[in-house]
């Protein structure tokens, strides 16, 4: 059979067209490859010698046209080129979990594209491409980037869209009304952005929705009642918003709902009865609201419930017995309510409990026998109640336990022998109860134990030789009635950081072997009956910061080498009447106060100690001090003269009469280098102090932005009240500070009535202004920068002062710059800032970076400690970072560091050098660390 002319023409046309398309697609792919940074050579087989349908990540339609480009998690980077959308048959593009940056091309046009996945990159700009250009789109996932702007008003044109995920970005504005036109939508995720306004009232028309995730935004108003029309809904998450009003009873119509999360809002009222018709419910979290009333027995209807969180509300009454009848219940957290009565005696018997937290309530009665019947319970938190009786034997045999906190109750009786042989427990706190009996007459075998607190009980007898753990870091046995000697074997506790044995009846000498605890930071042996001398071996403890030996019967002298412990910042030897001799003239003994040496036979020291002068040839000593004083005065006078001559050779001073500004009169301008002296004049500084230049005000004065009349460069000017001349010497020292993470002090200007500090101008904003919009990678970068700044300053003997978000400038490159507090210059005395107070402030800054909570919030440190200890990371991390799942380990490590920084004992806090080391180690644990993080600044 032969073809006619027309048939032959059609065949040839199709052949030529297909060949041309294939050639064009090959060129597009090679162009795409050339624009991508392929660090691990994922695209190595993208070579014209091989058919492109066999290339890595490429799938084809009809074995000839590109239909899918799937390259997730390949560590690719670069900008996404427009050409990737130029394939005529493309249906799916997946570049998620890479390091692409820049904007999503807004001029893209693809009639065939159905799936676009660009999540977990570093993209900026608009999140949603123009709907008219991608009419066939079914999946749009651009989550976990830094995209901004609003959802387009015409987003409803994407009528085929089934999945819309823009979570974990910086988007703002309201949800456009046209979103309800997306009637095919099954998954709606707008979480972890900055959306505002009310949740649209007519979302109920989107009947195919199975997943609605609107958490971690700023939505306000009530929960729309018409959400109850979403019959297919399985997951509803509205957490961390500002939602008010009561929980709609109509939510009980969502009979397919499996997960209901409404925590951290401002909801009031009780739990509506129809909620208990949700028979498929697996997780219910209503925590951190203002809910009240009793917890209903109707929970018996939720037979599939596994997780119940009602903590941090105002629920009252008894814990319902119904909870003990839920066979699948694993996690029950009711802490911080007003619950009363006994814990249901059947709780745990029929459950599958793994976590139980009923702390900070008003519960009474005895502990149920069957809390660990599941043999899976690993966290038991019951502190701050009025529970009584003995610790049940069954609980003492619960081998799955890891964390146990029973403190601040009324438990009595002996500590069960089995309780000291729990193999997995790493944290055990039973302090402030009424436990009695001894603890040395049983075997301690707790290989994972890191923290043991039995303080404030009625325990007696001798101390055990060991606790069956080589990991013990914190041991507190204070406030009991222990007697006998301190075991020498305590020196084997090589990981011990804190040892508290105060308030007992211990006697005998202090064992030298304690000095083998080389990580010990705090040692409290106060209020015992210890005798003999203070061990000279204590000087071998390299990080000892706090030592309390008060109220004992120690004798002899204080070893002079004890003053050589550089880390020692607090010491108390008071009320040891047999101590004699003088105080060491170094380290903490120079700053010791009278209360720390009262009731002793010690002598000498500074006047602040209140001790009498030591006996001896007072005349010769006075003569010697007089001669030394005269010599010192002569040396200082000579040094001052030389310093003044050198300073005159380096500083430029200008005196100008000016009536401008608030000061008026004669002004003296001083710089530390001639370049600044030539570029900024007195009139530049004085004329900057006008209302139109005002940019801020604080307790110590007003801040202005000025401009040089010479080179037009801007500078910051801080006007303060007139200051004593001695402060200028300290400020001149600060002018020499030069570090990329510190805002430089350029010079000083003063008159009789006022003074002005001149700083370099930094283009940017205060951290407190931009923090809410920063993703984790930017926050940890700021933390590293501030740690480096503190390390640099501390190496030069300078305390920064107020380390707070308001003093951190974030420049246009995202670098953090610390503006030093005036207090860091003017007061280095006992009430002024210290390096340890800097570290404490840095810890508060880390908490703010992690949680978004302001340092001024009451109890923020205590809240952070509790959350770190007993809550999942998602309950305390800032809402902007909720979706950074792959960064949660970094966040937990950083919070751990923050809590070390805010330790109540200054000696237990890390140094600035430690901060840099730890943070850079945390950053290096991420694969997307920039090379700039490897640079170090040494002392």
């Amino acid at each position: 059979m032969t073809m006619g002319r027309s048939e032959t023409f059609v065949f040839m046309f199709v052949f030529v067209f297909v060949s041309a398309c294939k050639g064009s697609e090959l060129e597009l792919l090679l162009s795409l490859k050339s624009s991508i940074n392929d660090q691990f050579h994922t695209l190595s087989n993208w070579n014209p010698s091989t058919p492109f349908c066999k290339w890595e990540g490429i799938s084809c339609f009809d074995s000839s046209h590109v239909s899918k480009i799937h390259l997730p998690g390949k560590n690719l980077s670069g900008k996404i080129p427009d050409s990737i959308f130029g394939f005529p048959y493309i249906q799916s593009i997946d570049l998620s979990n890479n390091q692409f940056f820049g904007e999503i091309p807004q001029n893209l046009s693809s009639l065939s594209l159905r799936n676009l996945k660009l999540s977990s990159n570093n993209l900026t700009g608009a999140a949603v491409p123009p709907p008219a250009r991608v009419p066939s789109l079914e999946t749009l996932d651009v989550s976990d980037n830094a995209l901004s702007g609003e959802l387009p008003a015409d987003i409803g044109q994407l009528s085929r869209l089934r999945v819309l995920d823009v979570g974990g970005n910086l988007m703002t504005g309201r949800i456009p009304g046209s979103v309800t036109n997306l009637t095919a939508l099954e998954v709606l995720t707008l979480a972890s952005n900055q959306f505002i306004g009310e949740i649209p009232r007519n979302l109920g028309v989107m009947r195919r929705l199975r997943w609605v995730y609107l958490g971690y935004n700023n939505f306000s108003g009530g929960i729309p009642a018409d959400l109850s029309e979403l019959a297919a809904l399985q997951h509803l998450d509205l957490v961390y918003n500002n939602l008010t009003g009561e929980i709609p009873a109509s939510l009980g119509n969502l009979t397919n709902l499996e997960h209901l999360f409404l925590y951290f809002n401002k909801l009031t009222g009780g739990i509506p009865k129809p909620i208990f018709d949700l028979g498929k419910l697996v997780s219910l979290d209503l925590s951190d609201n203002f809910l009240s009333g009793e917890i209903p027995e109707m929970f018996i209807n939720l037979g599939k419930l596994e997780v119940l969180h009602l903590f941090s509300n105002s629920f009252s009454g008894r814990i319902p017995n119904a909870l003990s009848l839920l066979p699948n219940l694993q996690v029950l957290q009711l802490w911080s309510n007003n619950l009363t009565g006994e814990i249901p005696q059947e709780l745990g018997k029929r459950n599958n409990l793994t976590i139980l937290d009923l702390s900070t309530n008003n519960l009474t009665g005895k502990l149920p026998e069957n809390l660990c019947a599941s043999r899976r319970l690993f966290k038991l938190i019951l502190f701050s109640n009025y529970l009584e009786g003995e610790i049940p034997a069954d609980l003492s045999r619960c081998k799955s336990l890891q964390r146990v906190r029973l403190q601040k109750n009324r438990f009595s009786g002996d500590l069960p022998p089995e309780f000291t042989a729990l193999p997995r427990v790493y944290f055990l706190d039973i302090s402030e109860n009424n436990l009695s009996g001894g603890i040395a007459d049983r075997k301690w075998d707790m290989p994972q134990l890191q923290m043991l607190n039995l303080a404030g009980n009625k325990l007696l007898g001798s101390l055990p030789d060991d606790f069956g753990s080589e990991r013990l870091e914190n041991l507190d046995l204070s406030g009991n009635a222990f007697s006998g000697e301190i075991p020498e074997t305590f020196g084997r506790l090589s990981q011990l950081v804190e040892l508290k044995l105060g308030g007992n009846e211990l006697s005998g000498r202090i064992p030298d072997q304690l000095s083998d605890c080389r990580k010990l930071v705090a040692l409290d042996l106060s209020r015992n009956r210890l005798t003999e001398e203070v061990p000279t071996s204590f000087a071998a403890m390299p990080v000892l910061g706090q030592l309390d030996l008060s109220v004992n019967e120690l004798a002899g002298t204080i070893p002079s080498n004890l003053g050589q412990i550089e880390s020692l910042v607090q010491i108390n030897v008071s009320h040891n009447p047999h101590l004699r001799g003088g105080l060491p003239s170094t380290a903490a003994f120079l700053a010791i106060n009278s209360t720390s040496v009262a009731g002793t036979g010690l002598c000498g020291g500074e006047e602040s100690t209140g001790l009498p002068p030591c006996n001896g040839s007072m005349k010769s000593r006075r003569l010697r001090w007089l001669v030394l004083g005269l010599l010192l005065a002569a040396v200082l006078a000579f040094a001052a003269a030389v310093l003044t001559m050198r300073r005159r050779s380096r500083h430029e001073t200008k005196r100008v009469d000016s009536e401008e500004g608030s000061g008026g009169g004669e002004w003296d301008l001083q710089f530390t280098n001639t370049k600044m002296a030539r570029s900024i004049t007195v009139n530049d500084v004085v004329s900057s102090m006008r209302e139109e230049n005002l940019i801020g005000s604080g307790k110590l004065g007003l801040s202005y932005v000025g401009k040089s009349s010479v080179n037009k460069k801007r500078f910051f000017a801080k006007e303060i009240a007139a200051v004593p001349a001695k402060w200028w010497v300290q400020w001149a020292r600060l002018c020499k500070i030069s570090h990329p993470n510190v805002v430089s002090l350029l010079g000083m200007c003063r008159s009789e009535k006022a003074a002005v500090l001149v700083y370099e101008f930094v283009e940017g904003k205060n951290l407190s202004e931009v923090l809410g919009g920063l993703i984790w990678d930017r926050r940890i970068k700021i933390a590293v920068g501030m740690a480096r700044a503190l390390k640099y300053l501390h190496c030069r003997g300078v305390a920064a002062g107020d380390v707070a978000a308001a003093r951190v400038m974030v420049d246009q490159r995202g670098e953090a710059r610390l503006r030093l507090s005036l207090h860091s210059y003017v007061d280095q005395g006992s009430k002024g800032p210290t390096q340890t107070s800097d570290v404490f402030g840095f810890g508060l800054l880390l908490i703010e970076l992690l949680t978004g909570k302001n340092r001024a919030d009451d109890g923020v440190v205590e809240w952070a400690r509790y959350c770190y200890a007993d809550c999942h990371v998602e309950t305390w991390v800032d809402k902007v970072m909720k979706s950074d799942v792959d960064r949660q380990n970094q966040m937990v490590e950083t919070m751990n560091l923050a809590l070390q920084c805010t330790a109540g004992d200054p000696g237990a806090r890390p140094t600035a050098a430690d901060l840099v080391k730890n943070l850079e180690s945390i950053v290096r644990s991420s694969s997307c660390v920039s090379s700039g993080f490897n640079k170090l600044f040494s002392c």
Side-chain angles (χ1 to χ4, degrees):
M1 182 177 180
T2 59
M3 291 186 292
R5 280 186 173 184
S6 60
E7 292 172 312
T8 302
F9 175 78
V10 170
F11 176 79
M12 292 299 294
F13 175 80
V14 171
F15 177 79
V16 171
F17 175 77
V18 170
S19 298
C21 285
K22 289 181 70 177
S24 175
E25 291 182 49
L26 175 62
E27 292 174 2
L28 285 173
L29 286 171
L30 292 175
S31 173
L32 177 62
K33 179 182 178 181
S34 66
S35 64
I36 292 176
N37 181 13
D38 181 14
Q39 183 178 356
F40 295 110
H41 307 292
T42 301
L43 311 181
S44 59
N45 73 336
W46 282 34
N47 191 299
S49 63
T50 305
F52 59 69
C53 291
K54 296 182 179 181
W55 289 2
E56 173 72 23
I58 301 299
S59 298
C60 287
F61 165 74
D62 200 21
S63 300
S64 58
H65 298 291
V66 175
S67 61
K68 296 180 180 179
I69 301 177
H70 280 201
L71 295 168
K74 303 298 185 182
N75 205 39
L76 305 175
S77 62
K79 292 187 176 182
I80 298 176
D82 296 357
S83 60
I84 197 171
F85 301 102
F87 297 93
Y89 296 93
I90 192 73
Q91 294 184 1
S92 181
I93 298 174
D94 187 351
L95 302 179
S96 59
N97 198 23
N98 282 291
Q99 298 178 43
F100 289 104
F101 57 88
E103 298 187 0
I104 301 171
Q106 293 297 296
N107 59 349
L108 66 89
S109 180
S110 177
L111 300 178
S112 59
L113 187 63
R114 295 182 181 179
N115 301 302
L116 179 59
K117 299 180 180 180
L118 304 175
S119 62
S120 299
N121 282 285
N122 300 309
L123 300 172
T124 55
V128 181
R133 293 179 175 270
V134 283
S136 301
L137 207 59
E138 296 178 2
T139 298
L140 176 62
D141 185 354
V142 292
S143 59
D144 300 334
N145 282 286
L147 300 167
S148 57
E150 302 183 5
L151 288 173
D154 59 348
I155 194 173
Q157 293 184 22
L158 297 173
S159 57
R160 298 184 182 182
L161 204 61
R162 297 170 57 196
V163 175
L164 174 61
D165 190 345
V166 298
N169 283 289
L170 306 174
M171 300 187 67
T172 56
R174 300 171 183 267
I175 300 177
S178 69
V179 76
T180 57
N181 294 333
L182 305 177
T183 53
L185 202 65
E186 298 177 14
V187 175
L188 174 62
T189 300
L190 309 180
S192 297
N193 280 285
Q194 300 171 37
F195 290 115
I196 60 171
E198 296 190 354
I199 298 172
R201 298 287 152 182
N202 51 352
L203 288 183
V205 301
M206 304 166 71
R207 301 295 174 85
R208 295 186 181 181
L209 276 174
R210 294 182 292 104
W211 181 296
V212 175
Y213 190 8
L214 307 181
Y216 308 105
N217 280 289
N218 295 310
F219 291 121
S220 56
I223 298 173
D226 68 349
L227 289 177
S228 61
E229 299 175 22
L230 303 176
L233 198 63
Q234 299 173 1
H235 189 118
L236 178 58
D237 191 327
L238 307 178
V239 306
Y240 267 87
N241 281 291
N242 294 307
L243 300 175
T244 55
E246 298 188 356
I247 300 171
S250 59
L251 294 185
N253 296 332
L254 300 174
T255 53
N256 286 305
L257 199 64
E258 298 177 3
H259 305 279
L260 178 57
F261 298 138
L262 304 178
Y263 61 85
F264 221 104
N265 280 287
K266 299 175 181 178
L267 301 172
T268 55
I271 304 175
K273 291 183 179 179
I275 293 294
F276 301 104
D277 294 332
L278 302 177
K280 295 183 179 180
L281 208 59
V282 174
S283 302
L284 176 61
D285 193 336
L286 309 178
S287 60
D288 276 300
N289 279 287
F290 299 102
L291 300 174
S292 57
E294 295 190 358
I295 301 174
E297 291 285 351
M298 295 179 69
F299 268 100
I300 189 66
N301 298 334
L302 304 182
K304 294 186 176 181
L305 197 65
E306 296 178 4
V307 177
L308 177 59
H309 287 175
L310 301 179
F311 58 82
S312 289
N313 279 288
S314 298
F315 288 114
S316 56
R318 306 173 70 90
I319 297 174
N321 288 316
L323 296 182
S324 62
L325 301 175
L326 300 178
N328 297 298
L329 189 63
Q330 298 180 32
V331 179
L332 177 60
Q333 299 204 83
L334 308 179
W335 52 269
S336 194
N337 279 286
N338 299 312
L339 300 173
T340 56
E342 296 187 356
I343 300 172
Q345 290 302 302
E346 296 293 306
L347 188 65
K349 187 174 183 179
R350 297 178 180 86
N351 307 123
N352 196 20
L353 287 178
T354 59
I355 296 176
L356 177 62
D357 190 341
L358 309 178
S359 61
T360 322
N361 280 288
N362 298 302
L363 300 173
T364 56
K366 298 182 178 181
L367 282 185
E369 289 284 344
N370 301 296
L371 288 179
C372 191
S374 68
R375 291 296 177 255
R376 298 179 63 228
L377 185 68
F378 68 85
K379 184 183 288 188
L380 178 62
I381 316 292
L382 302 175
F383 67 83
S384 295
N385 281 288
Y386 299 98
L387 300 170
E388 57 189 26
E390 296 186 357
I391 297 174
D394 184 70
L395 189 63
S396 301
R397 294 188 290 269
C398 186
K399 303 296 185 182
S400 58
L401 281 173
Q402 298 178 29
R403 187 174 183 87
V404 181
R405 302 185 68 188
L406 307 179
Q407 72 269 28
K408 297 183 179 179
N409 278 287
R410 297 174 178 175
F411 293 117
S412 57
D414 292 352
L415 186 66
E418 300 89 350
F419 219 69
T420 62
L422 295 173
R424 297 181 182 178
V425 170
Y426 69 90
F427 190 108
L428 178 59
D429 191 344
I430 322 180
S431 61
E432 298 185 55
N433 280 284
N434 295 315
L435 297 177
S436 57
I439 63 172
D441 57 347
R442 81 277 312 284
K443 183 180 181 181
W444 284 80
D445 186 13
M446 306 183 76
Q448 303 300 320
L449 191 62
Q450 298 176 31
M451 189 278 187
L452 175 62
N453 191 345
L454 301 177
N457 281 284
K458 299 176 181 178
L459 300 169
L460 46 78
S462 59
L463 296 176
D465 288 335
D466 67 77
F467 297 89
S469 172
E470 296 180 355
R471 300 185 177 188
L472 198 59
E473 297 178 4
N474 299 82
L475 177 60
D476 190 347
L477 305 178
S478 61
N480 283 284
F482 290 116
S483 57
E485 297 188 352
I486 300 173
E488 295 180 355
T489 52
F490 276 24
R492 299 175 188 168
L493 301 174
S494 60
Q495 301 301 310
L496 206 60
V497 174
E498 182 178 61
L499 176 60
K500 294 185 176 181
L501 302 177
N504 283 288
E505 298 175 10
L506 299 171
S507 58
R509 66 180 185 85
I510 301 173
D512 290 329
Q513 288 79 1
L514 286 182
S515 62
D516 293 334
C517 301
R518 296 306 174 93
K519 295 185 179 181
L520 199 62
V521 172
L523 175 60
D524 184 356
L525 305 179
S526 64
R527 295 168 292 122
N528 281 288
R529 299 175 181 174
L530 300 172
T531 57
E532 301 189 29
E533 296 186 347
V534 179
T536 59
S537 60
F538 276 6
M541 289 191 278
V543 294
L544 186 64
Q546 181 179 351
L547 177 62
D548 193 345
L549 305 176
S550 61
V551 196
N552 277 288
E553 299 173 13
L554 298 173
T557 60
I558 295 177
S560 59
N561 63 354
L562 206 58
Q564 298 172 7
I565 306 177
E566 294 183 359
S567 58
L568 193 62
V569 294
Q570 186 175 345
I571 183 167
N572 190 343
V573 294
S574 63
H575 302 290
N576 282 281
H578 305 300
L579 283 177
R580 295 288 184 267
L583 293 175
S585 57
T586 53
F589 293 96
L590 290 175
I592 201 167
N593 57 43
S594 58
T595 57
S596 297
V597 292
T600 68
L602 297 169
C603 61
E606 300 294 319
E607 289 186 9
S608 60
T609 64
L611 295 175
C614 292
N615 293 327
S617 53
M618 296 300 296
K619 285 187 177 181
S620 62
R621 290 182 60 195
R622 288 173 181 169
L623 181 60
R624 183 168 67 250
W625 282 111
L626 178 60
V627 172
L628 287 174
L630 291 173
L631 286 173
L632 180 60
V635 170
L636 289 176
F638 176 75
V642 172
L643 183 62
T644 301
M645 292 175 65
R646 294 182 63 190
R647 186 173 293 155
R648 285 175 179 171
S649 66
R650 292 196 306 265
H651 293 184
E652 292 289 332
T653 302
K654 300 180 179 180
R655 293 184 179 274
V656 175
D657 288 330
S658 174
E659 295 301 326
E660 296 188 64
S662 61
E666 189 178 72
W667 288 86
D668 177 26
L669 179 62
Q670 182 175 310
F671 288 99
T672 54
N673 64 71
T674 54
K675 182 179 179 181
M676 288 295 105
R678 287 194 299 265
S679 61
I680 299 178
T681 69
V682 170
N683 282 333
D684 291 339
V685 177
V686 177
S687 61
S688 70
M689 293 183 288
R690 295 173 177 170
E691 186 174 352
E692 61 267 28
N693 298 326
L694 184 65
I695 58 171
S697 61
K699 295 179 180 179
L700 297 175
L702 305 176
S703 297
Y704 302 88
V705 61
K707 183 183 290 186
S708 166
S709 58
V710 178
N711 57 18
K712 306 304 179 185
K713 289 187 176 180
R714 288 180 288 179
F715 58 85
F716 288 127
K718 177 79 172 182
E719 182 187 14
I720 58 177
V723 296
K726 64 178 182 179
W727 291 358
W728 289 89
V729 177
Q730 297 184 49
W731 285 338
R733 181 185 176 195
L734 269 293
C735 288
K736 301 173 185 177
I737 294 296
S738 178
H739 188 275
N741 297 111
V742 178
V743 179
S744 296
L745 178 64
L746 304 177
M748 299 88 73
C749 189
R750 59 177 170 171
S751 71
E752 293 182 357
K753 299 180 181 179
V756 181
L757 300 179
V758 182
Y759 296 89
E760 69 168 315
F761 181 80
V762 177
E763 188 75 56
K765 293 185 178 181
N766 284 343
L767 176 58
S768 55
E769 297 177 296
V770 300
L771 178 60
L774 298 180
I775 60 176
W776 171 243
D777 285 345
R778 298 184 184 183
R779 298 189 190 206
I780 191 67
K781 180 180 180 181
I782 288 169
V784 172
M786 287 300 93
R788 289 174 174 167
L790 289 184
K791 178 182 177 183
Y792 174 88
L793 294 170
H794 291 183
C795 286
R796 283 148 183 81
V798 176
D802 188 15
V803 184
R807 292 200 170 277
V808 178
M809 296 289 292
V810 181
D811 65 21
Q812 292 180 317
R813 296 179 295 112
E815 293 290 344
R817 309 282 301 277
L818 178 63
R819 289 185 292 113
L820 299 178
S821 166
L822 290 181
H823 292 297
S824 56
Y825 327 144
V826 303
D827 187 359
Q828 294 290 332
S830 59
K831 296 183 179 180
T834 63
Q835 294 184 8
T836 54
S837 66
D838 278 356
V839 171
F840 184 88
F842 181 79
L844 293 177
L845 180 65
L846 285 182
I847 292 174
E848 189 168 355
L849 286 168
L850 286 160
T851 68
K853 276 186 170 288
N854 191 284
R855 62 190 293 162
D857 294 348
D858 291 338
V860 66
V861 174
E862 290 74 16
W863 172 83
R865 289 188 188 283
Y866 183 84
C867 288
Y868 174 77
D870 292 301
C871 307
H872 189 270
V873 62
E874 287 189 357
T875 66
W876 50 259
V877 76
D878 195 355
K879 57 186 179 182
V880 176
M881 306 184 294
K882 296 291 182 179
S883 53
D884 285 337
V885 179
D886 58 334
R887 301 287 196 277
Q888 287 189 355
N889 285 341
Q890 289 187 2
M891 296 174 192
V892 170
E893 289 183 58
T894 306
M895 177 60 89
N896 180 277
L897 183 61
L899 298 181
Q900 292 179 46
C901 292
T902 53
D905 174 15
R909 299 169 193 164
T911 65
D914 293 331
L915 298 179
V916 174
K917 180 180 178 181
N918 283 304
L919 284 171
E920 288 181 340
S921 174
I922 292 170
V923 169
R924 279 194 295 271
S925 67
S926 171
S927 61
C928 54
V929 178
S930 66
S931 60
F933 275 60
N934 296 322
K935 298 177 182 177
L936 296 174
F937 292 92
S938 59
C939 294

